[in-house]
Amino acid sequence: MARPNPFDQAGPISLLIFAWIWSLFQKAKKAGGLNRDDIYPAPDKDKSQKNADKLEEYWEKEEGSTVVVFTIPETEPLAQNSAEKSTKNGHRDESRVQIQRPSSRQSRENASLLRAIFKAYGTSYFLTWIPIFVTDCLFKVIQPLTLLWFVKSFSPQEENNGRSWQYIYAAFITITTLSITMTSNPSQFCLQRVSNWMLKLSQSCQIPAKPSKGNNEKPNEPIKIDDAFVTNLISKNANVEDKLAQFPYIFIAPIQFVLLFYFLWQEFGWPCIPGIISIFLYMPFQYWYAAKSGEYRGKINEASGARTSLINEIIAGILTIKTYTWENVFREQVNKKRKSKGSNLHAFQMAVFLTSSRLIPFLTFISLALWGGPLTPEKVFFATAVYNTATHYMVYLLPGACKNVGEFLACIKNIQEFLLLQEKHDSEGYKRSDLSEKVPKFPSINLEDAVAEWESGKGIKSISLTISDPKLVMVVGETASGKSSFLQLLLGELSLISGRCKIHGKLSYSAQKPWIFHDTVKNNILLHEDQDRTTYNWAVSLAMLNQDFQALEHGDETIVGDGGSGLSGGQRTRVDYARTLYQQGDILLLDDPLSALDGNVARDLLRGLKEDKELAKTLRILVTNKLQYLKEADYIVVMHEGKITSYGTYQELEGKGDEILVKANAGGEDVDSLTSEAQESNTTENTVTSKIVKSENFENSDQKSRASGNIGLKTYLKYFTAANRSFQFSWHVLMFIISQVFITVIEYWVVLWTMSQSESSVRSFTRNGNHTEIASNDNGSENVTDFSKQGDDDGTTISPFLQDDPQIIHGATMTVPILWLELQLPIYSQDTYMTIYSILTGAVFVTNLFKALGFFNYCIKICNNMHRKMANVLVRARPSFFSKTPGGEILNYFSKDMDIVDEAIPMSFFNMLTIFLQIGTVIILLVLANVWTIPAILIFIVMLSSIRKYYVTTSRDLKRIDGEVRGEVCSKLACYDGLPTIRAVGAENRMSKRFDETQPKLVSVCGSS
C-alpha cells in the first residue's frame, strides 16, 4: 500500500466524473477479483489516526477531569468455564468487567461529544452542503419548469412553439439533467466522505483508545463491559454516517417545497391546494412512523446486545459445550434472544409512500377537472414532475432525515456515555510504586485495616498484613473465602473503602480464568511487547511449553482463537503463566493456576516457581486449593469469609494446629469436596478437550477462503426459498406484477384523459345532432365539416376546447397511435374519467399495501430461518473453526452482518423488483408509442449492462473485503476481558495500538467503496 491514493492526485474533471476510481474497476475485472493488496491507502486528509487525534483533542476539552472508579466483578466462586457455570447455576456467567458508578455528576454535565465532533469536522461537513443546496434548490426546481415549457412548445396556441424553441428547451433539459448528475454525485460523495471516513472511524478509534472506563450515572449500580458489549457498541452505534448524511434535507426540503409550490400555483391556481394539503397530511404520519421506528430500534438494539453477549460466552466456552454436548441447549438460548426484526409498520409506510406519488397528483387533477380547467399534457407533465420531487423530499427524505438525526443523537449519546467512563483512578488509600521506578530494596506489600467490598457485599474485611522480601506465599481458604478478592485488592481493581494498601514493586498477574486473545501463541505471551529472546525462552521453559510448541504445527507461531480455542485447558493456563513470567514483575500474583493442570505438570511448575534463580528474587503470591503443596511455601496466608484467620510459615501454622493444615495432613486433598469435584471435572475436561484439539488439523493462516466471482441465480433462489414456502414467493412476485399493472394502467388512463382534452387528438364529434369531422390539410390547418343532423341535447359534458360548448352527444372519438396503427377510441365524459381514475388510484394503494406487507413478512421468515441455521452451525462447528476465526469476527457476523440481512437485503430486493418492473413497463410504453425507439433502447441496455458488470463486480469484492476487515477490527477489541492483566503491567497503550493498526485498512476499504 505504498502507492498513493489516486484521489490525492486527481484533477477537477477527474473528481467530477470519478475517473480517478477507474483503475480499481479494471483491477476488479482480473481473474480472482480484488484482494486487499489492490485497495488504495486512505487519502492523506482521511488518515484515521490524524482524525482521531483531532477529535480526541476537542473531546478532552469537553470531558475535563471526570473522576470515576472502575472495578471488576466478584470472582469467587468462579467456575473454570463460563459455559459450565451457566448450566450449573441456571443462568449465564456474569463474570465480566463491571463499572462502579459514583454519585458525582457535576464534572460531566457540560461534556458533549456532539459539540466536539462539530468543532473537529463541522467546517468540512457544512461546506459539503453548498453544492447539495445548489443541486436540490436550483437545478431540481428548474428542471420541471423546463419540461413544462418544452411540452407547451408543441401546442398551436403557444407563442414560443417553433422548432427552434423546442431545440432550446430540449437542450436546457439536457443541461439541467447533466448539472444535477455532475453536482449531486460528487457532493454526496464528499458528504459521505466527511461523515463516514472522518466521523465514524474517529469514533471507532476513540472507543478502544481508553480501555479503562467507568460510569457515574447511578451510584451502586454496575454496568457490564466485555468484548461483546464493545463490539455491539461499535457495530450498532458507530455506524452513523448514513444518518448524518441526510441531515441537510431538514433544511433543503422546506426551501425546495416553497419554490415548487410557487411555480405550481402559477400554473394551476387553486386546484393545486388539495395536493399540497395532502403532502402536509402525509408528514405527521411519517413523523409518527419515525418515532415508532426509533422506539422499535431501541428494543432491537437491546435484544441484539444480549444475544451478542451470549454468543461471546459460547465462543469462550465452546470446548466445554462440546465436551458435555450442550450444543442444542445453547442454540435454543441464542434463538430465544433474537427478536423478529421486521415490522408491519415499515411495510405500511412503504405502501403509503409508493401510493403518494399517485394520490397527490390525483387530487390535483380531480380538482382541476371539477374547477373546469383543461387537463392538458403540459399540466400533467409539470404536476407529475413537481409532485414526484416534492413527495420524495417532503414525504420521504424530510421525515427520514428527522428520524435518522434522532437515531444519530441517540448513538452519539450511547458513545458519549461510554467515553465518559473514564480511566480508573486508584483509591485514596491505595499506593503503588511507579512501573518505571526502581523498587526500593525488596518488593513488599503492606495492608493496614484494609476494607473493600463488591456490590454483593462480599470482599475484604479489615485485613492487616505485611509481606516483604522475595518469597513464595501461598494463599489458601475455602471457596468464597476472599482469596481472589485479596489479589484484586493488591492489583487496585477492588477499590478500598477504608484502610491502606501499599505496593512496592512492579506487578504481574495471572488470572484464575486464563485470558487468551486471537493471535499467535507468541504474541499472547509477549502481549505485543518487543521480544527479548532470552527472557522469552526462559518464560516458555518455566511454563513447560516447549513440548507443546513441538506438537503444534507452527510452533509458537500457531494462531489460537479467543479464549484459547485450539488449546487445552492446561495449555491455556501455562500460556497465561508464561506471559506473567515474561513481564518480569517484582511481585507475581498467581490466581490458582495449578487447579487446571495435571498432577505431574502442577508439581513441575511449582518446582520451577520455587527454585528458579530469577524468580527467587521476586515476591510470589500463589492462590491455590492444592493443600498438598503447602510444605513448599515460604509463607502461608489462610483466609475465611474475607478475613485473614492465620498466617505464618508451615511450621508455625502446624504448631498452632491450624484446621487447614490438619486437612492437608489428613489426606492431602483440596480444601473442600466441592472444589475437588471441580478439579476432577476440569481434569476430565482438559483430557477430553486435548483429544478434541489434537484431532483437529489446524491451519496457521488468517486468510480464510472466500467466495469469488458472480453471484448466480441459484444463490438468490436459495435466499428466497429459505422461508420453506416456495409457493408464497411466487405469490409475492405476482403481487408485484399486479401492482405494476395497475400503476401502468392509471398512467395510461391519464394519457387518454389528456388526449381527450387536446384538439389535435379529437377527429369527430356530434353536437346537438350535428355531426362534425376534423381533417388536417397538408399545411397543418384544420378543415371542419358540419353535417346537419338535429337531435335532442343529451347533456353530456364536452372537452373545453370545443368552441366553449359544454354539451356534446355520443359519438366523439380520438386517434391514439400504437406502433404503426392509429386507433380510434371513444371520448368519455369527465365524470367517467374521474370515476375510473379514482378506482384505479384506490387499487394502486390496496395492491401496494398487500405487496409490501406480504413481501416484508416473507423476508422476516427468511431472516429468522437464516439466523437459526447460523446459530446451529456455530455451536456445531469444529473446534478448529474457533481457532482460525477471531471471536470478534464471529460477533460481527451476528451483529453487523445480521443487521444487513434483516434490514438492507429485504429493502434492496423490494426496490429491485419494483424498479425492474417499472423499467420494463416504461420500455413497453415507449415501444408502443414509437417503434423507432427500439434501437436507442437496445443501445442503452447494452451500455448499462457493461457498466453494471464493472460496478457490481467491484462493489461485491469491496463489500467482501470490508466485511473481512471489520471482522478483524472487532477481533482486535478482544481485550476487555483481560483488563486486570493489561493494567497490571501497564500495557493499555500497547493493546490500543494493536487496534489502531487495523484502522488504515478499514479507512482504505471505506474510501474505495
Side-chain angles (χ1 to χ4, degrees):
M1 289 192 178
R3 63 191 187 286
N5 192 306
F7 179 83
D8 293 326
Q9 303 173 347
I13 302 299
S14 179
L15 292 174
L16 204 60
I17 63 176
F18 295 93
W20 59 273
I21 201 70
W22 179 247
S23 58
L24 194 66
F25 287 106
Q26 291 178 317
K27 292 179 180 179
K29 293 297 292 183
K30 68 181 182 182
L34 290 175
N35 54 56
R36 296 191 188 186
D37 295 334
D38 296 323
I39 305 300
Y40 299 118
D44 292 336
K45 294 182 180 180
D46 303 316
K47 300 295 185 182
S48 61
Q49 192 57 51
K50 175 182 177 182
N51 291 306
D53 294 341
K54 187 177 182 180
L55 178 60
E56 185 175 4
E57 177 185 353
Y58 286 102
W59 172 242
E60 287 179 350
K61 294 178 182 179
E62 291 286 333
E63 190 178 19
S65 56
T66 306
V67 180
V68 184
V69 179
F70 176 90
T71 64
I72 65 170
E74 183 176 0
T75 56
E76 290 198 33
L78 181 64
Q80 290 298 318
N81 191 285
S82 61
E84 180 179 354
K85 183 176 179 180
S86 172
T87 301
K88 288 186 176 182
N89 297 339
H91 55 78
R92 297 200 326 274
D93 180 15
E94 299 296 339
S95 300
R96 57 183 82 159
V97 180
Q98 293 184 328
I99 309 301
Q100 178 68 36
R101 302 178 176 180
S103 58
S104 175
R105 299 180 58 183
Q106 182 177 359
S107 58
R108 56 173 286 182
E109 287 180 353
N110 297 324
S112 172
L113 178 61
L114 182 65
R115 188 162 52 238
I117 289 171
F118 280 108
K119 284 181 179 179
Y121 314 124
T123 302
S124 301
Y125 174 69
F126 288 113
L127 282 176
T128 61
W129 286 26
I130 297 175
I132 297 176
F133 265 89
V134 172
T135 301
D136 294 336
C137 295
L138 180 61
F139 295 132
K140 289 192 177 181
V141 173
I142 293 177
Q143 193 176 43
L145 283 174
T146 310
L147 182 62
L148 173 65
W149 299 331
F150 178 68
V151 178
K152 277 187 175 181
S153 66
F154 289 92
S155 175
Q157 291 81 16
E158 185 67 23
E159 294 182 2
N160 301 326
N161 62 353
R163 184 71 66 180
S164 58
W165 282 101
Q166 293 170 1
Y167 283 127
I168 293 173
Y169 293 141
F172 205 67
I173 292 174
T174 304
I175 292 172
T176 54
T177 303
L178 288 175
S179 299
I180 291 174
T181 303
M182 300 298 287
T183 57
S184 178
N185 292 330
S187 59
Q188 286 293 332
F189 172 78
C190 292
L191 183 62
Q192 289 282 350
R193 174 170 163 258
V194 174
S195 58
N196 188 344
W197 302 352
M198 292 185 177
L199 173 62
K200 175 184 174 181
L201 296 175
S202 297
Q203 290 183 50
S204 297
C205 286
Q206 286 292 307
I207 289 174
K210 300 179 180 178
S212 305
K213 301 293 180 180
N215 189 294
N216 55 358
E217 184 84 9
K218 298 178 182 178
N220 304 322
E221 183 182 341
I223 63 172
K224 301 177 181 64
I225 296 181
D226 60 359
D227 299 336
F229 174 87
V230 180
T231 299
N232 195 60
L233 181 71
I234 285 186
S235 63
K236 297 286 185 182
N237 294 299
N239 295 319
V240 297
E241 70 278 7
D242 291 333
K243 298 176 176 58
L244 192 60
Q246 291 193 8
F247 185 48
Y249 298 108
I250 293 179
F251 305 94
I252 290 175
I255 296 174
Q256 183 195 72
F257 180 75
V258 171
L259 296 174
L260 291 174
F261 172 68
Y262 171 78
F263 294 114
L264 196 66
W265 174 269
Q266 294 295 318
E267 185 65 25
F268 281 88
W270 288 104
C272 73
I273 296 299
I276 299 299
I277 293 175
S278 65
I279 292 178
F280 284 100
L281 292 178
Y282 269 108
M283 292 175 61
F285 166 76
Q286 294 284 28
Y287 286 115
W288 173 81
Y289 162 75
K292 285 293 183 181
S293 179
E295 180 181 338
Y296 190 70
R297 167 58 54 188
K299 295 179 180 179
I300 289 176
N301 288 341
E302 183 179 350
S304 297
R307 186 181 76 250
T308 306
S309 297
L310 177 58
I311 292 172
N312 189 47
E313 294 177 6
I314 292 175
I315 296 171
I318 189 62
L319 290 179
T320 301
I321 293 174
K322 291 187 172 297
T323 300
Y324 295 104
T325 63
W326 291 337
E327 289 92 340
N328 292 336
V329 175
F330 280 90
R331 180 192 61 201
E332 293 303 319
Q333 289 293 324
V334 172
N335 289 330
K336 287 180 181 179
K337 290 292 181 183
R338 173 181 167 83
K339 292 184 177 180
S340 297
K341 291 193 173 185
S343 173
N344 290 333
L345 183 65
H346 179 63
F348 184 74
Q349 186 266 347
M350 285 301 302
V352 170
F353 172 71
L354 291 174
T355 309
S356 64
S357 60
R358 302 292 180 272
L359 180 61
I360 295 174
F362 159 79
L363 295 174
T364 298
F365 297 157
I366 293 294
S367 300
L368 181 64
L370 295 175
W371 194 264
L375 188 64
T376 57
E378 61 268 20
K379 292 183 181 295
V380 171
F381 274 100
F382 179 65
T384 302
V386 168
Y387 282 131
N388 283 341
T389 303
T391 302
H392 181 68
Y393 280 80
M394 294 296 291
V395 178
Y396 182 72
L397 288 181
L398 178 57
C402 294
K403 166 199 166 188
N404 287 332
V405 168
E407 291 183 1
F408 165 75
L409 295 176
C411 293
I412 292 298
K413 180 181 178 182
N414 292 337
I415 296 174
Q416 176 176 308
E417 288 179 352
F418 178 80
L419 294 180
L420 284 174
L421 308 180
Q422 294 228 347
E423 294 183 1
K424 176 183 71 68
H425 291 258
D426 293 332
S427 305
E428 183 177 351
Y430 183 84
K431 303 296 181 182
R432 180 171 158 186
S433 60
D434 189 79
L435 298 181
S436 62
E437 180 182 338
K438 291 185 178 180
V439 179
K441 200 174 181 180
F442 293 112
S444 65
I445 63 171
N446 183 20
L447 298 173
E448 299 178 7
D449 298 322
V451 178
E453 293 183 352
W454 303 103
E455 290 77 17
S456 63
K458 297 180 180 180
I460 302 301
K461 313 291 184 182
S462 187
I463 289 180
S464 294
L465 178 69
T466 299
I467 303 176
S468 61
D469 301 332
K471 59 170 62 80
L472 175 60
V473 179
M474 291 190 183
V475 182
V476 295
E478 297 179 352
T479 301
S481 60
K483 303 186 296 296
S484 293
S485 298
F486 174 69
L487 295 188
Q488 298 301 321
L489 175 62
L490 298 181
L491 288 169
E493 300 294 337
L494 179 59
S495 299
L496 282 169
I497 298 177
S498 62
R500 294 182 179 180
C501 177
K502 296 181 180 179
I503 307 294
H504 294 287
K506 177 183 176 181
L507 294 176
S508 188
Y509 172 65
S510 176
Q512 186 179 38
K513 180 182 177 182
W515 171 61
I516 307 295
F517 53 88
H518 181 84
D519 211 322
T520 63
V521 176
K522 178 187 287 186
N523 281 337
N524 269 277
I525 295 174
L526 298 178
L527 205 60
H528 288 275
E529 188 178 9
D530 294 336
Q531 181 180 8
D532 183 313
R533 192 67 193 176
T534 302
T535 305
Y536 178 79
N537 291 336
W538 167 75
V540 169
S541 177
L542 283 178
M544 294 174 292
L545 287 170
N546 288 317
Q547 291 185 353
D548 298 275
F549 289 170
Q550 292 176 3
L552 295 174
E553 183 178 357
H554 300 280
D556 60 357
E557 295 293 339
T558 300
I559 294 175
V560 295
D562 290 302
S565 298
L567 299 176
S568 68
Q571 288 173 331
R572 292 196 294 266
T573 298
R574 286 183 285 124
V575 169
D576 188 65
Y577 177 65
R579 177 170 57 216
T580 305
L581 298 178
Y582 184 80
Q583 300 303 319
Q584 293 185 297
D586 302 301
I587 302 174
L588 273 62
L589 305 178
L590 309 174
D591 196 350
D592 202 13
L594 302 180
S595 63
L597 304 177
D598 295 335
N600 293 333
V601 177
R603 281 191 294 271
D604 292 341
L605 186 143
L606 182 60
R607 185 181 300 113
L609 184 64
K610 180 177 176 59
E611 299 177 357
D612 184 78
K613 294 181 180 180
E614 293 297 325
L615 292 180
K617 302 175 184 179
T618 65
L619 175 58
R620 291 138 288 160
I621 300 178
L622 172 65
V623 170
T624 183
N625 286 317
K626 299 288 187 179
L627 302 183
Q628 63 268 34
Y629 300 134
L630 289 180
K631 291 182 181 180
E632 306 295 330
D634 299 322
Y635 202 77
I636 300 172
V637 176
V638 182
M639 299 193 66
H640 179 69
E641 295 183 353
K643 297 180 180 179
I644 295 178
T645 57
S646 59
Y647 56 87
T649 64
Y650 184 87
Q651 291 75 17
E652 291 173 349
L653 294 181
E654 187 178 30
K656 296 178 183 179
D658 193 278
E659 183 180 356
I660 290 290
L661 266 65
V662 171
K663 290 183 178 181
N665 293 330
E669 299 296 332
D670 296 344
V671 173
D672 52 30
S673 59
L674 291 177
T675 306
S676 299
E677 293 176 4
Q679 307 306 330
E680 182 180 354
S681 174
N682 287 329
T683 302
T684 303
E685 177 193 338
N686 290 338
T687 303
V688 175
T689 54
S690 296
K691 293 180 180 179
I692 294 175
V693 171
K694 290 178 181 178
S695 67
E696 295 287 341
N697 182 22
F698 293 113
E699 296 179 5
N700 194 50
S701 175
D702 262 343
Q703 301 297 327
K704 294 164 286 301
S705 61
R706 61 183 178 92
S708 60
N710 295 326
I711 297 177
L713 182 62
K714 186 178 180 180
T715 304
Y716 294 109
L717 290 178
K718 282 185 177 180
Y719 172 82
F720 283 112
T721 56
N724 301 324
R725 292 175 174 86
S726 301
F727 172 76
Q728 285 191 10
F729 173 66
S730 302
W731 167 254
H732 296 312
V733 173
L734 180 62
M735 285 303 302
F736 273 87
I737 296 174
I738 293 174
S739 176
Q740 186 58 44
V741 167
F742 278 112
I743 292 173
T744 305
V745 170
I746 198 174
E747 291 176 346
Y748 201 72
W749 184 256
V750 172
V751 171
L752 296 178
W753 191 2
T754 58
M755 292 181 68
S756 70
Q757 307 285 294
S758 175
E759 183 175 0
S760 60
S761 299
V762 179
R763 306 272 43 116
S764 65
F765 58 90
T766 302
R767 182 192 300 112
N768 298 327
N770 296 325
H771 183 68
T772 304
E773 291 184 357
I774 304 177
S776 299
N777 291 330
D778 294 336
N779 59 9
S781 62
E782 303 283 353
N783 285 339
V784 180
T785 305
D786 190 1
F787 301 91
S788 292
K789 294 185 179 179
Q790 281 298 123
D792 296 332
D793 187 355
D794 65 352
T796 304
T797 306
I798 186 177
S799 299
F801 78 90
L802 294 175
Q803 300 180 3
D804 299 324
D805 192 339
Q807 303 297 325
I808 190 172
I809 63 174
H810 300 292
T813 61
M814 58 182 172
T815 302
V816 179
I818 297 180
L819 295 177
W820 54 84
L821 303 176
E822 289 189 355
L823 302 180
Q824 296 295 319
L825 299 181
I827 296 177
Y828 302 102
S829 66
Q830 294 282 67
D831 293 340
T832 302
Y833 283 114
M834 288 189 291
T835 301
I836 296 179
Y837 188 24
S838 303
I839 294 173
L840 291 174
T841 303
V844 167
F845 173 76
V846 172
T847 53
N848 276 331
L849 182 61
F850 277 99
K851 175 180 72 175
L853 287 173
F855 182 80
F856 283 110
N857 278 285
Y858 184 74
C859 288
I860 292 173
K861 297 174 184 176
I862 294 175
C863 297
N864 288 337
N865 288 343
M866 290 181 66
H867 183 271
R868 280 193 288 269
K869 291 179 181 178
M870 286 178 61
N872 184 60
V873 169
L874 176 68
V875 297
R876 296 188 178 278
R878 294 164 64 90
S880 60
F881 169 78
F882 296 92
S883 176
K884 294 183 290 185
T885 308
E889 187 170 328
I890 299 174
L891 293 176
N892 192 56
Y893 292 153
F894 281 87
S895 181
K896 178 64 177 176
D897 291 350
M898 204 61 212
D899 274 351
I900 294 175
V901 172
D902 287 331
E903 299 174 12
I905 291 181
M907 194 66 202
S908 297
F909 275 121
F910 184 88
N911 291 334
M912 183 202 72
L913 291 172
T914 301
I915 295 173
F916 177 78
L917 291 173
Q918 287 177 349
I919 293 174
T921 54
V922 167
I923 291 175
I924 293 173
L925 291 177
L926 284 174
V927 172
L928 291 177
N930 189 345
V931 71
W932 297 109
T933 59
I934 293 179
I937 292 173
L938 293 177
I939 292 173
F940 272 105
I941 289 176
V942 172
M943 291 175 57
L944 292 176
S945 297
S946 301
I947 295 173
R948 177 191 173 277
K949 287 182 180 179
Y950 276 98
Y951 170 77
V952 172
T953 303
T954 307
S955 176
R956 185 183 295 125
D957 287 342
L958 287 174
K959 288 296 182 183
R960 287 168 177 160
I961 297 174
D962 178 73
E964 294 174 4
V965 174
R966 288 181 189 275
E968 287 186 11
V969 170
C970 291
S971 69
K972 300 303 182 184
L973 292 171
C975 65
Y976 285 82
D977 292 338
L979 278 179
T981 301
I982 294 172
R983 288 202 296 251
V985 298
E988 295 96 324
N989 292 335
R990 271 184 270 155
M991 299 307 293
S992 180
K993 183 180 178 180
R994 174 175 176 259
F995 174 84
D996 292 340
E997 290 174 353
T998 64
Q999 287 299 300
K1001 300 178 185 177
L1002 185 57
V1003 176
S1004 300
V1005 176
C1006 290
S1008 299
S1009 57

